[in-house]
Amino acid sequence: MPHILAIDQGTTSSRAILFDAGMRITAVAQEEFAQHFPQSGWVEHDANDLWSTTAATCRAVIEKAGVTGAAIAAIGITNQRETTVVWDRHTGQAIHRAIVWQDRRTSDYCTDLREAGHEPVVSARTGLLLDPYFSGTKLRWILDHVEGARARAEAGDLLFGTVDSYLIWKLTGGRVHATDATNAARTLLYDIRKGRWSKTICDLLEIPMQMLPEVRDSADDYGHTRADLFGREIPIRGVAGDQQAATVGQACFKPGMLKSTYGTGCFALLNTGDTPVVSQNRLLTTIAYQLNGTPTYALEGSIFVAGAVVQWLRDGLKMIRHASETQPLAEQADPNQDVVMVPAFTGLGAPYWRPDCRGAIFGLTRSTGPAELARAALESVGFQTRDLLQAMRDDWAGHGADAVLRVDGGMSASDWAMQFLSDIINAPVDRPQVLETTALGAAWLAGMRIGLYPDQAEFAASWALERQFLPQMSTELRTVKTAGWARAIQSTLAF
């Protein structure tokens, strides 16, 4: 029976998931890797770790499923977006640790560009804002701070890519240097309307364009793996950034459909069809997916800290041992304590875009304990999502106002968190039977490309609901709680 191998290279771990011909999960392998924090606000990964854990989990999942490389019909790749890798085209070795999407080291440079009046031009072409979140300024930093890097780049000896490009290069033995439109759209260097790299912005950031990968569709030919990796050459036929892959996996193919993924961060995407909607509320205009040379656009809101706030309770405060402990704690919290947490550990994302902000907790009393902090942590994700959805409704009036929110990611497994989310956004929240929507999206792109999986309409019809959460909170309580959140945000911004 043919299988599709989905590579899901994330921020804290690499995973490989094997799907059968019926799009059912056969086996999963996962391996965590080290996070590096050389300075406050700096986040790095060793590119060798990204590659070695990816290769190891692919081999492990094939072995776990009891199949061979001959059973793998194609590979789909999904990846942490914006994370920046620069490597030597001759050796395949990265010249610096990968600079992770969470990294804030280029904040001052972004401020300088903004104050010089460049943001309108950048936004018009890329749909993005001048923020250290995106790849372009990270790439500029590497060229400026690694000795000899700029000269080597201008000589054509260095290549740039987001993680998907780097993995494709390694998987194909250096035969393919490519990315897909969804990842290109997150670099700050890609014109999402013209569908090509922007010379204007590359000149602004002093990026040699010969470093950049070829941009292809999300379901396309990305070459074949080296035969020695998995016993034979396997075609790579699907690529999408993790949030776009989740949008595909959730079958959000119609304009107005909306999904939100709760992983390390939270990312909400609203499908706007063939219309690149320009946000008036500092949301991002991006590409949801690109098929047959035609992009489908989306409005996106990015929250930097979602599941990471639970990790902080576990690893930072040592308050819990397992993430699953937050729900029973939240249920025990004193309803009379109004504790509000703003988890701006690496700044505030959309719709505020304040990289200088840091986290804060309001409403502490002598009787505040782990239960109240757990509840505030889970509620912070709902509050931040509400801010994003309100901005989307304001940007695209008449569209998506009554949309059901489809959710996925690790935190979506928490009934308490999803019920609060439904309560605070005052809308239905749908959790699918398959929570591995990111990997499923990558698998479907590859499987559809080779004719193993169904077309969009049939795939969308196969989407299955596991549970729907409906609002239960009173209007009065919702008003009080959202007003408290607004005060906490304003206080955090002021501080």
Side-chain angles (χ1 to χ4, degrees), residues 127-143:
L128 308 178
L129 303 170
L130 281 170
D131 189 87
Y133 176 30
F134 307 108
S135 311
T137 59
K138 301 178 194 297
L139 172 54
R140 161 71 184 261
W141 188 94
I142 290 174
L143 293 177

mmCIF file with all atom_site columns, all heavy atoms in Angstrom, residues 127-143:
data_model
loop_
_atom_site.group_PDB
_atom_site.id
_atom_site.type_symbol
_atom_site.label_atom_id
_atom_site.label_alt_id
_atom_site.label_comp_id
_atom_site.label_asym_id
_atom_site.label_entity_id
_atom_site.label_seq_id
_atom_site.pdbx_PDB_ins_code
_atom_site.Cartn_x
_atom_site.Cartn_y
_atom_site.Cartn_z
_atom_site.occupancy
_atom_site.B_iso_or_equiv
_atom_site.pdbx_formal_charge
_atom_site.auth_seq_id
_atom_site.auth_comp_id
_atom_site.auth_asym_id
_atom_site.auth_atom_id
_atom_site.pdbx_PDB_model_num
ATOM 1   N N   . GLY A 1 127 ? 2.962  42.485 1.913  1.00 0.00 ? 127 GLY A N   1
ATOM 2   C CA  . GLY A 1 127 ? 1.836  42.275 2.813  1.00 0.00 ? 127 GLY A CA  1
ATOM 3   C C   . GLY A 1 127 ? 2.243  42.209 4.267  1.00 0.00 ? 127 GLY A C   1
ATOM 4   O O   . GLY A 1 127 ? 1.406  41.998 5.144  1.00 0.00 ? 127 GLY A O   1
ATOM 5   N N   . LEU A 1 128 ? 3.542  42.411 4.543  1.00 0.00 ? 128 LEU A N   1
ATOM 6   C CA  . LEU A 1 128 ? 4.079  42.273 5.897  1.00 0.00 ? 128 LEU A CA  1
ATOM 7   C C   . LEU A 1 128 ? 4.445  43.636 6.476  1.00 0.00 ? 128 LEU A C   1
ATOM 8   O O   . LEU A 1 128 ? 4.381  44.665 5.800  1.00 0.00 ? 128 LEU A O   1
ATOM 9   C CB  . LEU A 1 128 ? 5.313  41.364 5.873  1.00 0.00 ? 128 LEU A CB  1
ATOM 10  C CG  . LEU A 1 128 ? 5.144  40.009 5.182  1.00 0.00 ? 128 LEU A CG  1
ATOM 11  C CD1 . LEU A 1 128 ? 6.456  39.240 5.195  1.00 0.00 ? 128 LEU A CD1 1
ATOM 12  C CD2 . LEU A 1 128 ? 4.031  39.197 5.846  1.00 0.00 ? 128 LEU A CD2 1
ATOM 13  N N   . LEU A 1 129 ? 4.845  43.634 7.725  1.00 0.00 ? 129 LEU A N   1
ATOM 14  C CA  . LEU A 1 129 ? 5.296  44.832 8.421  1.00 0.00 ? 129 LEU A CA  1
ATOM 15  C C   . LEU A 1 129 ? 6.788  44.748 8.668  1.00 0.00 ? 129 LEU A C   1
ATOM 16  O O   . LEU A 1 129 ? 7.389  43.667 8.603  1.00 0.00 ? 129 LEU A O   1
ATOM 17  C CB  . LEU A 1 129 ? 4.559  44.968 9.757  1.00 0.00 ? 129 LEU A CB  1
ATOM 18  C CG  . LEU A 1 129 ? 3.031  45.016 9.665  1.00 0.00 ? 129 LEU A CG  1
ATOM 19  C CD1 . LEU A 1 129 ? 2.425  44.905 11.055 1.00 0.00 ? 129 LEU A CD1 1
ATOM 20  C CD2 . LEU A 1 129 ? 2.572  46.297 8.987  1.00 0.00 ? 129 LEU A CD2 1
ATOM 21  N N   . LEU A 1 130 ? 7.395  45.868 8.957  1.00 0.00 ? 130 LEU A N   1
ATOM 22  C CA  . LEU A 1 130 ? 8.821  45.862 9.299  1.00 0.00 ? 130 LEU A CA  1
ATOM 23  C C   . LEU A 1 130 ? 8.971  45.419 10.752 1.00 0.00 ? 130 LEU A C   1
ATOM 24  O O   . LEU A 1 130 ? 8.872  46.220 11.680 1.00 0.00 ? 130 LEU A O   1
ATOM 25  C CB  . LEU A 1 130 ? 9.419  47.256 9.076  1.00 0.00 ? 130 LEU A CB  1
ATOM 26  C CG  . LEU A 1 130 ? 9.744  47.589 7.623  1.00 0.00 ? 130 LEU A CG  1
ATOM 27  C CD1 . LEU A 1 130 ? 10.099 49.068 7.462  1.00 0.00 ? 130 LEU A CD1 1
ATOM 28  C CD2 . LEU A 1 130 ? 10.888 46.715 7.108  1.00 0.00 ? 130 LEU A CD2 1
ATOM 29  N N   . ASP A 1 131 ? 9.194  44.133 10.900 1.00 0.00 ? 131 ASP A N   1
ATOM 30  C CA  . ASP A 1 131 ? 9.314  43.540 12.223 1.00 0.00 ? 131 ASP A CA  1
ATOM 31  C C   . ASP A 1 131 ? 10.401 42.470 12.169 1.00 0.00 ? 131 ASP A C   1
ATOM 32  O O   . ASP A 1 131 ? 10.555 41.793 11.140 1.00 0.00 ? 131 ASP A O   1
ATOM 33  C CB  . ASP A 1 131 ? 7.981  42.907 12.638 1.00 0.00 ? 131 ASP A CB  1
ATOM 34  C CG  . ASP A 1 131 ? 7.983  42.456 14.091 1.00 0.00 ? 131 ASP A CG  1
ATOM 35  O OD1 . ASP A 1 131 ? 7.659  43.278 14.968 1.00 0.00 ? 131 ASP A OD1 1
ATOM 36  O OD2 . ASP A 1 131 ? 8.326  41.281 14.350 1.00 0.00 ? 131 ASP A OD2 1
ATOM 37  N N   . PRO A 1 132 ? 11.155 42.292 13.273 1.00 0.00 ? 132 PRO A N   1
ATOM 38  C CA  . PRO A 1 132 ? 12.225 41.280 13.282 1.00 0.00 ? 132 PRO A CA  1
ATOM 39  C C   . PRO A 1 132 ? 11.718 39.852 13.135 1.00 0.00 ? 132 PRO A C   1
ATOM 40  O O   . PRO A 1 132 ? 12.520 38.933 12.943 1.00 0.00 ? 132 PRO A O   1
ATOM 41  C CB  . PRO A 1 132 ? 12.905 41.492 14.637 1.00 0.00 ? 132 PRO A CB  1
ATOM 42  C CG  . PRO A 1 132 ? 11.943 42.282 15.458 1.00 0.00 ? 132 PRO A CG  1
ATOM 43  C CD  . PRO A 1 132 ? 11.169 43.112 14.494 1.00 0.00 ? 132 PRO A CD  1
ATOM 44  N N   . TYR A 1 133 ? 10.423 39.646 13.215 1.00 0.00 ? 133 TYR A N   1
ATOM 45  C CA  . TYR A 1 133 ? 9.795  38.332 13.042 1.00 0.00 ? 133 TYR A CA  1
ATOM 46  C C   . TYR A 1 133 ? 10.168 37.707 11.693 1.00 0.00 ? 133 TYR A C   1
ATOM 47  O O   . TYR A 1 133 ? 10.393 36.504 11.593 1.00 0.00 ? 133 TYR A O   1
ATOM 48  C CB  . TYR A 1 133 ? 8.289  38.572 13.148 1.00 0.00 ? 133 TYR A CB  1
ATOM 49  C CG  . TYR A 1 133 ? 7.341  37.429 12.928 1.00 0.00 ? 133 TYR A CG  1
ATOM 50  C CD1 . TYR A 1 133 ? 7.674  36.116 13.228 1.00 0.00 ? 133 TYR A CD1 1
ATOM 51  C CD2 . TYR A 1 133 ? 6.053  37.701 12.462 1.00 0.00 ? 133 TYR A CD2 1
ATOM 52  C CE1 . TYR A 1 133 ? 6.747  35.095 13.042 1.00 0.00 ? 133 TYR A CE1 1
ATOM 53  C CE2 . TYR A 1 133 ? 5.122  36.691 12.282 1.00 0.00 ? 133 TYR A CE2 1
ATOM 54  C CZ  . TYR A 1 133 ? 5.477  35.387 12.571 1.00 0.00 ? 133 TYR A CZ  1
ATOM 55  O OH  . TYR A 1 133 ? 4.552  34.396 12.390 1.00 0.00 ? 133 TYR A OH  1
ATOM 56  N N   . PHE A 1 134 ? 10.282 38.509 10.662 1.00 0.00 ? 134 PHE A N   1
ATOM 57  C CA  . PHE A 1 134 ? 10.417 37.983 9.305  1.00 0.00 ? 134 PHE A CA  1
ATOM 58  C C   . PHE A 1 134 ? 11.883 37.761 8.927  1.00 0.00 ? 134 PHE A C   1
ATOM 59  O O   . PHE A 1 134 ? 12.799 38.254 9.572  1.00 0.00 ? 134 PHE A O   1
ATOM 60  C CB  . PHE A 1 134 ? 9.706  38.905 8.324  1.00 0.00 ? 134 PHE A CB  1
ATOM 61  C CG  . PHE A 1 134 ? 8.284  39.160 8.718  1.00 0.00 ? 134 PHE A CG  1
ATOM 62  C CD1 . PHE A 1 134 ? 7.881  40.400 9.214  1.00 0.00 ? 134 PHE A CD1 1
ATOM 63  C CD2 . PHE A 1 134 ? 7.351  38.140 8.654  1.00 0.00 ? 134 PHE A CD2 1
ATOM 64  C CE1 . PHE A 1 134 ? 6.585  40.614 9.627  1.00 0.00 ? 134 PHE A CE1 1
ATOM 65  C CE2 . PHE A 1 134 ? 6.045  38.348 9.072  1.00 0.00 ? 134 PHE A CE2 1
ATOM 66  C CZ  . PHE A 1 134 ? 5.658  39.587 9.558  1.00 0.00 ? 134 PHE A CZ  1
ATOM 67  N N   . SER A 1 135 ? 12.080 37.002 7.835  1.00 0.00 ? 135 SER A N   1
ATOM 68  C CA  . SER A 1 135 ? 13.418 36.490 7.503  1.00 0.00 ? 135 SER A CA  1
ATOM 69  C C   . SER A 1 135 ? 14.385 37.543 6.985  1.00 0.00 ? 135 SER A C   1
ATOM 70  O O   . SER A 1 135 ? 15.590 37.432 7.196  1.00 0.00 ? 135 SER A O   1
ATOM 71  C CB  . SER A 1 135 ? 13.301 35.378 6.449  1.00 0.00 ? 135 SER A CB  1
ATOM 72  O OG  . SER A 1 135 ? 12.336 34.432 6.794  1.00 0.00 ? 135 SER A OG  1
ATOM 73  N N   . GLY A 1 136 ? 13.882 38.532 6.267  1.00 0.00 ? 136 GLY A N   1
ATOM 74  C CA  . GLY A 1 136 ? 14.754 39.446 5.544  1.00 0.00 ? 136 GLY A CA  1
ATOM 75  C C   . GLY A 1 136 ? 15.795 40.138 6.400  1.00 0.00 ? 136 GLY A C   1
ATOM 76  O O   . GLY A 1 136 ? 16.984 40.181 6.046  1.00 0.00 ? 136 GLY A O   1
ATOM 77  N N   . THR A 1 137 ? 15.369 40.683 7.547  1.00 0.00 ? 137 THR A N   1
ATOM 78  C CA  . THR A 1 137 ? 16.327 41.391 8.387  1.00 0.00 ? 137 THR A CA  1
ATOM 79  C C   . THR A 1 137 ? 17.250 40.424 9.124  1.00 0.00 ? 137 THR A C   1
ATOM 80  O O   . THR A 1 137 ? 18.381 40.776 9.459  1.00 0.00 ? 137 THR A O   1
ATOM 81  C CB  . THR A 1 137 ? 15.613 42.321 9.387  1.00 0.00 ? 137 THR A CB  1
ATOM 82  O OG1 . THR A 1 137 ? 14.731 41.559 10.219 1.00 0.00 ? 137 THR A OG1 1
ATOM 83  C CG2 . THR A 1 137 ? 14.820 43.395 8.654  1.00 0.00 ? 137 THR A CG2 1
ATOM 84  N N   . LYS A 1 138 ? 16.784 39.207 9.364  1.00 0.00 ? 138 LYS A N   1
ATOM 85  C CA  . LYS A 1 138 ? 17.653 38.182 9.953  1.00 0.00 ? 138 LYS A CA  1
ATOM 86  C C   . LYS A 1 138 ? 18.781 37.832 8.970  1.00 0.00 ? 138 LYS A C   1
ATOM 87  O O   . LYS A 1 138 ? 19.944 37.672 9.362  1.00 0.00 ? 138 LYS A O   1
ATOM 88  C CB  . LYS A 1 138 ? 16.843 36.924 10.284 1.00 0.00 ? 138 LYS A CB  1
ATOM 89  C CG  . LYS A 1 138 ? 15.678 37.105 11.243 1.00 0.00 ? 138 LYS A CG  1
ATOM 90  C CD  . LYS A 1 138 ? 14.953 35.784 11.439 1.00 0.00 ? 138 LYS A CD  1
ATOM 91  C CE  . LYS A 1 138 ? 13.600 35.921 12.094 1.00 0.00 ? 138 LYS A CE  1
ATOM 92  N NZ  . LYS A 1 138 ? 13.633 36.465 13.446 1.00 0.00 ? 138 LYS A NZ  1
ATOM 93  N N   . LEU A 1 139 ? 18.420 37.684 7.690  1.00 0.00 ? 139 LEU A N   1
ATOM 94  C CA  . LEU A 1 139 ? 19.414 37.400 6.659  1.00 0.00 ? 139 LEU A CA  1
ATOM 95  C C   . LEU A 1 139 ? 20.425 38.533 6.560  1.00 0.00 ? 139 LEU A C   1
ATOM 96  O O   . LEU A 1 139 ? 21.637 38.293 6.478  1.00 0.00 ? 139 LEU A O   1
ATOM 97  C CB  . LEU A 1 139 ? 18.704 37.182 5.318  1.00 0.00 ? 139 LEU A CB  1
ATOM 98  C CG  . LEU A 1 139 ? 19.572 37.046 4.069  1.00 0.00 ? 139 LEU A CG  1
ATOM 99  C CD1 . LEU A 1 139 ? 20.633 35.968 4.227  1.00 0.00 ? 139 LEU A CD1 1
ATOM 100 C CD2 . LEU A 1 139 ? 18.689 36.767 2.856  1.00 0.00 ? 139 LEU A CD2 1
ATOM 101 N N   . ARG A 1 140 ? 19.941 39.752 6.590  1.00 0.00 ? 140 ARG A N   1
ATOM 102 C CA  . ARG A 1 140 ? 20.838 40.914 6.548  1.00 0.00 ? 140 ARG A CA  1
ATOM 103 C C   . ARG A 1 140 ? 21.807 40.869 7.740  1.00 0.00 ? 140 ARG A C   1
ATOM 104 O O   . ARG A 1 140 ? 23.002 41.143 7.584  1.00 0.00 ? 140 ARG A O   1
ATOM 105 C CB  . ARG A 1 140 ? 19.997 42.191 6.566  1.00 0.00 ? 140 ARG A CB  1
ATOM 106 C CG  . ARG A 1 140 ? 20.706 43.484 6.967  1.00 0.00 ? 140 ARG A CG  1
ATOM 107 C CD  . ARG A 1 140 ? 21.682 43.993 5.936  1.00 0.00 ? 140 ARG A CD  1
ATOM 108 N NE  . ARG A 1 140 ? 22.377 45.173 6.422  1.00 0.00 ? 140 ARG A NE  1
ATOM 109 C CZ  . ARG A 1 140 ? 22.048 46.424 6.102  1.00 0.00 ? 140 ARG A CZ  1
ATOM 110 N NH1 . ARG A 1 140 ? 21.043 46.659 5.265  1.00 0.00 ? 140 ARG A NH1 1
ATOM 111 N NH2 . ARG A 1 140 ? 22.717 47.443 6.599  1.00 0.00 ? 140 ARG A NH2 1
ATOM 112 N N   . TRP A 1 141 ? 21.306 40.491 8.906  1.00 0.00 ? 141 TRP A N   1
ATOM 113 C CA  . TRP A 1 141 ? 22.154 40.443 10.101 1.00 0.00 ? 141 TRP A CA  1
ATOM 114 C C   . TRP A 1 141 ? 23.282 39.434 9.907  1.00 0.00 ? 141 TRP A C   1
ATOM 115 O O   . TRP A 1 141 ? 24.434 39.704 10.248 1.00 0.00 ? 141 TRP A O   1
ATOM 116 C CB  . TRP A 1 141 ? 21.316 40.076 11.329 1.00 0.00 ? 141 TRP A CB  1
ATOM 117 C CG  . TRP A 1 141 ? 22.054 40.182 12.630 1.00 0.00 ? 141 TRP A CG  1
ATOM 118 C CD1 . TRP A 1 141 ? 22.088 41.249 13.476 1.00 0.00 ? 141 TRP A CD1 1
ATOM 119 C CD2 . TRP A 1 141 ? 22.911 39.179 13.220 1.00 0.00 ? 141 TRP A CD2 1
ATOM 120 N NE1 . TRP A 1 141 ? 22.898 40.981 14.557 1.00 0.00 ? 141 TRP A NE1 1
ATOM 121 C CE2 . TRP A 1 141 ? 23.414 39.724 14.429 1.00 0.00 ? 141 TRP A CE2 1
ATOM 122 C CE3 . TRP A 1 141 ? 23.291 37.906 12.850 1.00 0.00 ? 141 TRP A CE3 1
ATOM 123 C CZ2 . TRP A 1 141 ? 24.280 39.019 15.263 1.00 0.00 ? 141 TRP A CZ2 1
ATOM 124 C CZ3 . TRP A 1 141 ? 24.157 37.192 13.670 1.00 0.00 ? 141 TRP A CZ3 1
ATOM 125 C CH2 . TRP A 1 141 ? 24.644 37.743 14.864 1.00 0.00 ? 141 TRP A CH2 1
ATOM 126 N N   . ILE A 1 142 ? 22.959 38.252 9.385  1.00 0.00 ? 142 ILE A N   1
ATOM 127 C CA  . ILE A 1 142 ? 23.990 37.230 9.169  1.00 0.00 ? 142 ILE A CA  1
ATOM 128 C C   . ILE A 1 142 ? 25.047 37.730 8.193  1.00 0.00 ? 142 ILE A C   1
ATOM 129 O O   . ILE A 1 142 ? 26.259 37.570 8.412  1.00 0.00 ? 142 ILE A O   1
ATOM 130 C CB  . ILE A 1 142 ? 23.349 35.922 8.664  1.00 0.00 ? 142 ILE A CB  1
ATOM 131 C CG1 . ILE A 1 142 ? 22.524 35.274 9.788  1.00 0.00 ? 142 ILE A CG1 1
ATOM 132 C CG2 . ILE A 1 142 ? 24.414 34.943 8.170  1.00 0.00 ? 142 ILE A CG2 1
ATOM 133 C CD1 . ILE A 1 142 ? 21.735 34.048 9.351  1.00 0.00 ? 142 ILE A CD1 1
ATOM 134 N N   . LEU A 1 143 ? 24.618 38.369 7.117  1.00 0.00 ? 143 LEU A N   1
ATOM 135 C CA  . LEU A 1 143 ? 25.569 38.878 6.123  1.00 0.00 ? 143 LEU A CA  1
ATOM 136 C C   . LEU A 1 143 ? 26.482 39.941 6.719  1.00 0.00 ? 143 LEU A C   1
ATOM 137 O O   . LEU A 1 143 ? 27.653 40.063 6.335  1.00 0.00 ? 143 LEU A O   1
ATOM 138 C CB  . LEU A 1 143 ? 24.818 39.451 4.919  1.00 0.00 ? 143 LEU A CB  1
ATOM 139 C CG  . LEU A 1 143 ? 24.052 38.438 4.055  1.00 0.00 ? 143 LEU A CG  1
ATOM 140 C CD1 . LEU A 1 143 ? 23.307 39.162 2.946  1.00 0.00 ? 143 LEU A CD1 1
ATOM 141 C CD2 . LEU A 1 143 ? 24.996 37.392 3.480  1.00 0.00 ? 143 LEU A CD2 1
#
